[in-house]
Each structure stands twice: as C-alpha cells, then as structure tokens.
Amino acid sequence: MSNNHLRITNYGLLLAILTAFIFALSPQALALAQGPTPTDDEVNRIAKQLYCPVCESTPLDVCPTEACRQWRELIRTMLAEGKSEAEIKQYFVEHYGARVLAEPPNRLVTYLVPAVVILLGAFMLFRGFQMWLKPSITEADVKKSAKREAKPVQDPYIAKLEEELKNRK
Amino acid sequence: MTDTSIPAARRGVPIWVQIIIWVFLVGLLGIVAVGLKRAQEGTVQPGAAIKDFTFELFEGYKYNGQSQIKLSDLRGKVVVINFWASWCKPCEQEAADLQAAWKEYEPTGKVVFIGADYVDTPKEADVYLKKFGITFPNGEDRDVARGRPLSQYFRIKGVPETYFIDRDGVLQYVQVGPFTSIEQIRVQVDKLLK
C-alpha cells in the first residue's frame, strides 16, 4: 500500500515536470518570457515616425491598409523582443529604404545643401536690392557728366563784364 | 579751373556669381525634367535589355543548389519575375496558377520563375508561401549586388506585376495585374520558348 502510494507520487511528480516542460516550450510561455505585449501607444510612438511605402504620404500609425497593419505588428513583435527604437527604424530602412522615415537621416549633406541654397538665394536678393536702390552709372553717363562739367554755363553778368572790358581796350 | 573728377562706375553682379546662378538653375530644371520623364515612363518597356542583378532567396529556397540567383547566369533560359506581397489580395488570385505553371516548366530546365516579395513582413510572407505551396525561387525584392530594390529598377507601379525576359535577357512582356488563368502564363512563356 505504501509502495503503491510512493509510486503514484513519483508518477505525479514526473507528470508535473513533463507538463511544466511542455508549457515552457509553448509559444505562450515564450511570449511571456519575452515580456508583456507592447501597447498600441508604444507601437504607434514608433509607427508615427515611419511612412507607408505603398500609399505615399501616409504615416504608418494611421494608415488603414493591410500592409501597414502587418508592419505595426512587426514593430510590436520587435519591441517585445527587446529591440530599441533605433534598431527598429534601422530594420525598416534596411528593408524598405530611407523613404520610410518621416524625418530624413541625420547626414551632413541633408542639412548642408538646403543651407547653401538659402544662403545663395539671400545673397542674390541682397545684391538685387542693392542694385535697385543705387542704379549703376554707365560709361556713357560718366562721359556726359565730364563733358557738362568741362563747359560750365556762362553767367550773363560775367559775360557782360567781359564784353565791356574788351570794348575799353 | 573746373572739377572734372568723376565717380567710379559701379559694377554689377560678378561674373562668377552669375555663372553659379545659371548652372544652379539649369541643374534644377534638368532634375525636374528627368523626374517628369521617369514619372511618365511607367514600367520598364518590352524591348529593354535587363541589367544584371543578384537576387537572394528566402531560407528554404534554392535554385541549382544556390541560395542566390544571378540574372546573367540564366542566359539561354526564359525568366519570369513575379512581384507579389502577402497583403495583396489580387496576388492570391494568381498564386496557384503561377505555381502550377512552374510545375509544368520546371522539368524542362528552360524556364525559371522568380518571386520577388515587395515591401512585406517576413512572417506573413512565409505564411503566404506555405498557404499556396509555392516552390519556385522566392526572395525579398532586393538586388543584393546594388543594395536596391529590384522593383525600383523595373519601376513597378504596384503588385502583382510579372515580367517575361527572353533567353537573351531582353524584356518581352509585362503583365500588370493578376493572371486570371494558367493559360495566360503559358501563352507568354511558350512564345519565348519558340
């Protein structure tokens, strides 16, 4: 009787270990081991920084297509696996190109080109305004002015005086 | 006696600035023109020689024992490239026909089918391939040699789209949208096998 009881207890223990082992390998247990399922807010925090490459100009967090729903689920899975925001974004760029990013990649040329274009435009405007305010003097204007100053207008009083002096001689 | 000194003539915009401005404007117009031309072009047109590309296959897929396919290695064979996605409902419509056609042509060794998975997620793509029992070489839409999507080179407008390349590597037919029967696939492949 006591031997039978012992055998039953051993079987029970074996069964418990076996059940625990099977449960440990189940997808649910694996999911639990990875941590709690990320919420929609956590997923959308990353999704809104990405754009749907299928329907243009639609952020991933609000895109209603099946493709975007799948990508949001992919973000959720990656978050559950412990991937960081940067790693997730990098994955999307590697697979679908930089066009999926809401903001362009942080490269020097991304900021340098617009800055150079803006400076060049500002310089052109500045020179344009300068020229409108002070119109340039052409060579013809200079010659005309020199000619005018070389032949000053005769004062009638001086002319009359010179005439009288001439007559006295 | 008279003061004949004259003010120095003011100069206009320096010539180098003018050159920069013109080069910039012409460059800008060039970029806009190229963009407009490409937008109007649509997909790669029949008659175009297809540039060489290297295509990486999904895990579990092999072609001639290799996990990569190079287009130039397929000279002498008819190549059928199908762009698809797991989220694309019309793709499901033609998936079974494509697989059936592959089963017909595979033993001849004269035709190669390639499935390019366009902007998709790995898990769903795997489910899709298993669901339709697709065995012909499949992989992510990417030319690994150039590091760019293959769809960008073909300028696809959506999925599904299928490109038929002849034995000399020249594109001969483009199917935009799904095939509605296996016969449609046979007609194009047989034409290229003649």
Side-chain angles (χ1 to χ4, degrees), chain A residues 130-144:
Chain A
Q130 252 189 347
M131 286 170 70
W132 286 336
L133 291 172
K134 296 176 186 174
S136 64
I137 299 166
T138 61
E139 286 292 319
D141 291 338
V142 171
K143 279 180 186 165
K144 211 183 276 176

Side-chain angles (χ1 to χ4, degrees), chain B residues 66-81:
Chain B
Q66 304 287 314
S67 59
Q68 281 193 347
I69 289 182
K70 205 162 183 253
L71 183 68
S72 54
D73 293 343
L74 303 177
R75 283 287 147 82
K77 295 180 183 194
V78 171
V79 180
V80 180
I81 305 174

Side-chain angles (χ1 to χ4, degrees), chain B residues 7 58 67 91 110 114 132 160 167 170 189 193:
Chain B
F58 283 138
S67 59
C91 299
K110 292 175 183 170
I114 297 172
F132 293 100
R167 297 172 191 217
V170 177
V189 174
L193 281 174

